[in-house]
Amino acid sequence: MSDFIISCCSTADLTKEHFTERDLHYICFHYELDGKQYKDDLGESMPLDAFYRAMQEGADTRTSQVNASEYEEYFEPFLKEGKDILHVCLSSGISGSFNSANIAKDILEERYPDRKIYVVDSLAASSGFGLLMDKAADLRDEGKNIDEIYTWLEENKLRLHHWFFSSDLTFFIKGGRVSKTSGFVAGVLSICPLLNVDYQGKLIPRHKIRTKRKVIEAIVKKMEEHAEDGLNYSGKCYISQSACYEDAKAVADLVESRFPHLNGKVEINDIGTTIGSHTGPGTVALFFWGDKRVD
């Protein structure tokens, strides 16, 4: 048994079964739906199809990150057991949870001076964050120690690519990420914006593409351009989606046809309630290992 634990938050958008099988621990973010508070607990408190249906019917959503006190309460039992901690946070480009985790780390290091606590800013989100966690579990299972895994994550996290599109800009407009005018024009012209996560872990619009069919082709082209070893890519590929499984499956099928050496099938996950509160339904995101993000 390892003398350390690998941990993250529920915004890595993996299934509970995946977390369990890979021996990955997680702490839950929070959200409100029409004023009622819930944990972002991988759909246990509320099935994700019900969550997105409520959004489509006009429900108001708000999200809140894990605060420093919650991190302290979450970390301490592991330290009491004599375990070191490697915790990976949702990108600081979209959340303040990295700062909160570091506050808890500073407090607990004084209390447990013989224990190691590493906190990593993933610069990643959703199942891209999940793909990073899966790699950390691989390294642990290969026999790497906590220091080696921490170093590897810091040196390689910017090689993790996130590309995504949305066929419904309602909630991007509602959250102020897209103006009402741009959203109206996009709707009239059937524009599906293609975005990615930049080197600072921020969401950046890159291209305006007309029709869903063309944006599906465009997102796979981005993988062809950036994937490690190009069409000979042999790593894992994850997709996450918000109430648009058929669109995600279309992307997965195209990826599998273009990249014959993938490590297994493309894994399709749900976008959880924290990220989904901001994207709404209709978003598909593609994640893979590739060249270093530099812009």
Side-chain angles (χ1 to χ4, degrees):
M1 183 176 291
S2 175
D3 59 354
F4 63 93
I5 65 107
I6 299 175
S7 170
C8 63
C9 59
S10 56
T11 53
D13 288 347
L14 300 174
T15 64
K16 185 175 182 179
E17 293 75 21
H18 194 140
F19 278 117
T20 300
E21 287 173 5
R22 299 311 316 269
D23 190 21
L24 295 168
H25 300 263
Y26 62 93
I27 185 171
C28 296
F29 268 49
H30 319 277
Y31 70 98
E32 287 185 12
L33 187 68
D34 280 342
K36 185 176 180 180
Q37 294 188 351
Y38 298 87
K39 284 185 175 181
D40 177 2
D41 55 7
L42 317 179
E44 288 191 78
S45 297
M46 174 178 289
L48 291 171
D49 57 350
F51 171 76
Y52 285 115
R53 185 165 57 250
M55 290 188 77
Q56 288 171 321
E57 292 171 355
D60 286 324
T61 59
R62 296 175 183 271
T63 60
S64 59
Q65 66 194 35
V66 181
N67 63 40
S69 295
E70 289 173 306
Y71 272 122
E72 184 181 345
E73 183 179 346
Y74 168 68
F75 288 153
E76 190 159 28
F78 298 117
L79 300 171
K80 284 182 176 179
E81 292 173 7
K83 299 280 190 180
D84 295 331
I85 296 172
L86 173 60
H87 183 79
V88 187
C89 293
L90 177 65
S91 173
S92 63
I94 56 177
S95 168
S97 62
F98 177 62
N99 289 333
S100 298
N102 273 306
I103 292 170
K105 163 185 156 71
D106 291 343
I107 293 169
L108 291 168
E109 281 179 333
E110 291 187 9
R111 202 176 298 164
Y112 300 89
D114 296 330
R115 296 267 60 86
K116 294 178 181 177
I117 307 171
Y118 288 124
V119 177
V120 177
D121 180 358
S122 70
L123 300 177
S126 194
S127 293
F129 184 7
L131 187 53
L132 188 67
M133 297 309 300
D134 198 70
K135 181 62 180 180
D138 286 342
L139 294 170
R140 177 203 60 211
D141 294 348
E142 291 168 9
K144 299 287 192 297
N145 62 37
I146 189 172
D147 306 279
E148 291 170 319
I149 298 172
Y150 171 74
T151 298
W152 193 96
L153 293 177
E154 289 291 1
E155 290 178 349
N156 290 276
K157 62 190 181 184
L158 285 177
R159 295 196 303 106
L160 185 61
H161 280 255
H162 311 54
W163 288 91
F164 63 103
F165 67 83
S166 180
S167 57
D168 183 351
L169 297 181
T170 302
F171 295 91
F172 287 85
I173 296 167
K174 189 174 182 180
R177 288 172 173 78
V178 174
S179 71
K180 289 183 179 180
T181 301
S182 295
F184 174 77
V185 172
V188 170
L189 299 178
S190 299
I191 290 174
C192 298
L194 182 63
L195 308 90
N196 81 334
V197 174
D198 72 358
Y199 73 103
Q200 294 179 312
K202 297 178 180 179
L203 309 181
I204 306 295
R206 297 296 186 182
H207 307 285
K208 297 176 181 178
I209 299 174
R210 292 190 66 178
T211 77
K212 189 188 297 181
R213 181 183 62 81
K214 288 181 179 179
V215 79
I216 288 172
E217 176 69 30
I219 200 171
V220 177
K221 283 284 188 185
K222 289 298 181 183
M223 185 169 175
E224 292 178 6
E225 292 172 18
H226 294 285
E228 186 176 52
D229 299 323
L231 295 176
N232 290 317
Y233 178 69
S234 58
K236 293 181 180 179
C237 178
Y238 287 178
I239 288 175
S240 58
Q241 56 85 30
S242 55
C244 54
Y245 179 81
E246 292 306 316
D247 294 342
K249 184 64 166 60
V251 175
D253 289 345
L254 193 55
V255 167
E256 289 173 2
S257 71
R258 300 273 179 88
F259 297 87
H261 305 293
L262 287 175
N263 182 354
K265 291 282 191 179
V266 175
E267 182 174 316
I268 301 176
N269 295 304
D270 293 310
I271 295 176
T273 52
T274 296
I275 306 298
S277 290
H278 301 284
T279 68
T283 296
V284 175
L286 175 65
F287 312 101
F288 56 89
W289 294 99
D291 52 8
K292 186 175 181 180
R293 286 181 267 156
V294 294
D295 65 354

